[in-house]
Amino acid sequence: MSNHPTIVVMEGDQTGQELLLEALRVLDPDVIGAPLEFLRFDLSLENRRQTNNQVVHEAARAMVEHRYGLKAATITPETPGDVGSPNAILRKEIDGTVIVRTGRRIPGIAPPVGVFAPISVVRMAVDDAYGAKEWRESEDGDEIAFRTERISRKVCHGVAEYAFQYAQRIGAKVFGGPKFTVSPVYEGMFKEELDAASKRYPGVPYEPQLIDATYALLLVKAGEALVIPALNRDGDCLSDLVLQMFGSIAGSESILLALDEQWQPKVIMAEAPHGTAPTLFGKNIANPMAMILAGAALLAHHPERPYQTASRAIYEATLEAVMSGVRTADLGGGTTTTEFTDEVIRRVRTKLEVWSTLGDAGR
C-alpha cells in the first residue's frame, strides 16, 4: 500500500466539474514535484440520484480514512424528496465543525471597497438554520410558518476555539459575533463560548460586535486583519460578502474542518465557495482561482515539507498570474479558464525549480 497522501476527489456538476479538472491539473505530481494519490467519487446529481446518495456516504467515509478531500460544486435540487445537498451529508458524516473562508487582496485588482487586510469568516459547519425542522399551520384564517433550529455547546466551543487559534496564528483580531441581545439563550450560548475563548487566548485582540454591527463596520475595518466567528447562516452570508469585497467570490478557497480532541484539524475538505455557474458551463471562461487555491490549501495541511512548499508555490503562482495581467472575465480580463491554469502551472514549475536550486535560501 502506498504511503503517499491520498486526496478524495468528489466530482460535481456543470462548471463545478470543469473547474475541478483545472485544479487537478495543477495538483499533478509532475507539476508539484511530490507524489499524490487520487480516489475519485462521482457526486454529480445524476449519480447521486442513481445511488440514492450512497456515493456521498462512501466519499465521506473515504475522507475520514484519508484525511483530505477536494470537492467540486454540485447541484442541489429544489424539489422536496429529491437527493438534496451532498454538503449536508458530508459535513455530518465527517463530523465537520468549522468552515473557513478568507477574503484576501488580489494583486492588481482594485476591490469595490477599500479593504486590503485579510478577513476570515470562521462559521459553524452544521446546525443552525440548515437542517432546521420546518412546518406550517393554519391559524385564524392565516397560514403560519414555523422553524425549529438547534446549535450545540460542543460546536459553539469548537468554532470559538478554532477562531482564536487561527487569529493567534495569523496575527488577527477576533471580531464580530452573534445577535445575543435578541437571542440570549440560543445565540447567547455562542457568545458565552467566544468570551470564554478570549480568556484562554489573552494575547489575541477581541472585539465582540452584534451581527448587524459587524456587517456595517466591515466597511471601515480595512486596515485590520480580522477573524469573524459566526453562526452557520450568518457566516454563509458574511463570507459571500467578504469575498466579493475583495473583487470576486472566485478569489479564495473554502475549507471544511473536522476537529480532534485538541481542536486541531483531523479531516480537511476544500472546495470553491461558489456554485455550479450554469450560465458559464462549457464556455471556458470561468475563473478557476478558488478551486486551484482549494488544492493548495489541502497541501498546506500536510506535515511534510515538499507538500507545504508546493502549496506555497501554487498560492504565489496563482496570485502572481493575476498580478501580471492573466485574468478571467470576472476580474476584467480576457483569459480563458484553461489559459489561466496553464499560466499557473508554468509558474509553479518555475518556482519549484528555482527553489530547489537555491535550497533553504529559496524558501
Side-chain angles (χ1 to χ4, degrees):
M1 180 179 291
S2 172
N3 291 322
H4 303 153
T6 297
I7 295 178
V8 176
V9 176
M10 289 157 279
E11 300 179 331
D13 296 296
Q14 298 174 340
T15 308
Q17 177 65 13
E18 293 178 341
L19 298 183
L20 172 68
L21 297 178
E22 297 302 306
L24 292 175
R25 288 175 58 204
V26 179
L27 290 176
D28 190 304
D30 289 338
V31 174
I32 66 171
L36 281 176
E37 304 286 343
F38 299 99
L39 186 59
R40 302 176 83 127
F41 293 85
D42 180 2
L43 266 59
S44 66
L45 178 58
E46 179 182 9
N47 198 45
R48 281 181 281 139
R49 284 171 169 164
Q50 287 180 354
T51 65
N52 194 27
N53 275 334
Q54 284 307 305
V55 66
V56 185
H57 292 277
E58 291 169 4
R61 288 193 291 269
M63 275 197 289
V64 171
E65 178 182 356
H66 296 288
R67 192 169 186 241
Y68 305 103
L70 184 65
K71 179 185 174 295
T74 49
I75 295 172
T76 298
E78 298 179 1
T79 306
D82 208 328
V83 288
S85 169
N87 287 339
I89 297 173
L90 293 170
R91 292 170 190 175
K92 180 179 180 181
E93 291 293 311
I94 72 169
D95 195 23
T97 302
V98 175
I99 296 173
V100 183
R101 294 178 179 175
T102 299
R104 60 177 72 90
R105 189 172 64 86
I106 304 173
I109 301 298
V113 294
V115 294
F116 54 88
I119 301 173
S120 297
V121 178
V122 177
R123 82 182 231 226
M124 294 180 181
V126 292
D127 296 336
D128 194 37
Y130 305 120
K133 179 183 177 182
E134 297 184 333
W135 71 98
R136 296 177 185 175
E137 297 179 3
S138 297
E139 183 178 307
D140 298 328
D142 197 0
E143 186 176 27
I144 311 297
F146 297 88
R147 180 170 66 196
T148 301
E149 302 175 3
R150 68 184 295 272
I151 54 174
S152 70
R153 175 122 3 222
K154 178 183 177 182
V155 171
C156 289
H157 184 99
V159 173
E161 183 74 13
Y162 189 82
F164 277 86
Q165 284 183 8
Y166 189 61
Q168 182 181 62
R169 187 161 70 247
I170 67 173
K173 171 190 286 185
V174 176
F175 177 80
K179 189 84 168 178
F180 68 94
T181 52
V182 172
S183 176
V185 175
Y186 182 90
E187 302 197 23
M189 186 163 67
F190 186 33
K191 177 64 160 52
E192 291 165 9
E193 289 298 330
L194 291 171
D195 292 345
S198 74
K199 295 177 181 178
R200 295 192 296 272
Y201 296 86
V204 175
Y206 175 45
E207 186 179 332
Q209 297 284 348
L210 300 178
I211 184 63
D212 48 346
T214 301
Y215 274 103
L217 292 172
L218 275 178
L219 300 179
V220 296
K221 289 289 182 179
E224 297 182 84
L226 302 177
V227 172
I228 305 176
L231 295 165
N232 200 344
R233 175 134 172 206
D234 289 346
D236 197 359
C237 299
L238 265 173
S239 58
D240 281 3
L241 171 67
V242 165
L243 295 184
Q244 197 62 55
M245 284 170 60
F246 286 86
S248 174
I249 196 173
S252 181
E253 69 282 11
S254 178
I255 308 296
L256 169 67
L257 301 172
L259 306 179
D260 63 17
E261 293 78 7
Q262 285 73 48
W263 311 106
Q264 297 298 311
K266 63 179 180 180
V267 181
I268 305 101
M269 187 186 90
E271 60 184 328
H274 54 71
T276 59
T279 60
L280 305 181
F281 179 48
K283 297 180 180 178
N284 197 27
I285 60 174
N287 187 346
M289 278 185 67
M291 279 304 304
I292 291 173
L293 295 179
L298 289 180
L299 299 183
H301 280 86
H302 194 279
E304 295 180 12
R305 186 167 183 174
Y307 301 99
Q308 295 182 8
T309 300
S311 172
R312 176 184 170 186
I314 295 171
Y315 272 109
E316 290 188 7
T318 303
L319 295 174
E320 286 174 4
V322 178
M323 182 67 181
S324 70
V326 181
R327 303 170 186 170
T328 49
D330 61 315
L331 296 178
T335 303
T336 67
T337 305
T338 51
E339 287 171 345
F340 185 90
T341 307
D342 289 343
E343 179 64 12
V344 171
I345 290 172
R346 185 188 70 80
R347 289 174 178 268
V348 169
R349 290 185 187 276
T350 300
K351 285 178 180 293
L352 293 177
E353 178 65 26
V354 171
W355 291 347
S356 68
T357 301
L358 294 174
D360 287 344
R363 298 186 175 91

